[in-house]
């Protein structure tokens, strides 16, 4: 499917447009395993990370002892969405330090009008616009109670973040 060629026909009867849509995903907060001063942040926002990779080094000070360097590792593979602390700042035990999206696992939640929702079927093709991109997707689940469809991307998008707005056009085949 050539999404770019098809998208301008959004007013055509062969398309159903979502009333609203957002990108969603599995977000993981990486927290400080001990209190201490952030010494090094080894990743930047947008960086891919593997499970177990060192993300942060902090200096933990126990009463009357020299500082001990503690590595905080990625609990899962994914991509860094947000860095909450910088080198030199203090991290308290349990405080969020980084936010990851797990394995770039993102999807779309799209709400439709009643008439359009009744025409939706699992497996239908769609075009999702978000972050300046048009991406191919398919309907993977339907929630009749709130007229919402869940769409999975055909190819894994690396630049989309949970919470981004999206537009959705579903092919009415």
């Amino acid at each position: 499917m050539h999404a770019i060629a098809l998208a301008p026909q959004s007013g055509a009867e062969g398309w159903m447009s979502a009333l609203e849509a957002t990108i969603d995903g599995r977000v993981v907060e990486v927290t400080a395993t001990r209190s201490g001063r952030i010494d090094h942040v080894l990743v930047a926002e947008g960086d891919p990370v593997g499970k177990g990779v060192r993300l942060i080094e902090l200096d933990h000070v126990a009463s009357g002892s020299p500082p001990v360097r503690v590595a905080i590792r990625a609990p899962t593979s994914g991509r860094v969405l947000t860095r909450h602390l910088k080198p030199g700042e203090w991290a308290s035990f349990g405080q969020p330090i980084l936010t990851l999206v797990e394995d770039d696992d993102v999807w779309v939640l799209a709400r439709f009008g009643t008439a359009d929702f009744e025409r939706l079927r699992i497996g239908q093709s769609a075009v999702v616009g978000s972050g300046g991109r048009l991406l191919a997707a398919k309907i993977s689940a339907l929630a009749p109670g709130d007229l919402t469809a869940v769409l999975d991307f055909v190819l894994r998008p690396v630049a989309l973040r949970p919470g981004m707005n999206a537009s959705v056009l579903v092919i009415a085949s």
Side-chain angles (χ1 to χ4, degrees):
M1 173 171 96
H2 297 287
I4 294 171
L6 297 174
Q9 301 173 8
S10 62
E13 204 169 299
W15 291 92
M16 294 169 286
S17 180
L19 299 174
E20 61 184 356
T22 56
I23 306 298
D24 202 356
R26 287 191 191 105
V27 176
V28 176
E29 292 291 339
V30 178
T31 60
T33 55
R34 297 188 184 181
S35 295
R37 186 183 60 78
I38 302 292
D39 190 44
H40 291 94
V41 179
L42 305 170
V43 292
E45 290 182 2
D47 283 355
V49 297
K51 183 176 181 175
V53 168
R54 289 170 28 157
L55 304 171
I56 304 275
E57 292 179 348
L58 64 85
D59 291 331
H60 172 69
V61 179
S63 179
S65 300
V68 175
R69 175 136 318 142
V70 175
I72 298 175
R73 299 181 179 277
T76 185
S77 59
R79 184 170 35 94
V80 178
L81 289 178
T82 309
R83 289 179 13 175
H84 301 290
L85 297 175
K86 300 175 195 158
E89 293 183 320
W90 184 265
S92 298
F93 174 78
Q95 179 179 5
I97 297 175
L98 295 170
T99 303
L100 305 176
V101 62
E102 187 174 325
D103 280 328
D104 287 328
D105 191 7
V106 293
W107 55 87
V108 179
L109 297 176
R111 191 175 61 79
F112 290 84
T114 304
D116 283 344
F117 187 82
E118 291 173 359
R119 297 171 53 201
L120 298 179
R121 302 289 175 259
I122 292 176
Q124 272 179 299
S125 295
V127 176
V128 175
S130 187
R133 295 190 166 113
L134 291 176
L135 302 160
K138 290 198 178 281
I139 295 176
S140 61
L142 296 169
D146 58 2
L147 305 177
T148 299
V150 177
L151 293 92
D152 286 327
F153 292 100
V154 173
L155 298 173
R156 183 181 295 179
V158 295
L160 299 182
R161 302 167 58 110
M164 291 177 78
N165 289 325
S167 60
V168 174
L169 295 173
V170 176
I171 300 170
S173 56

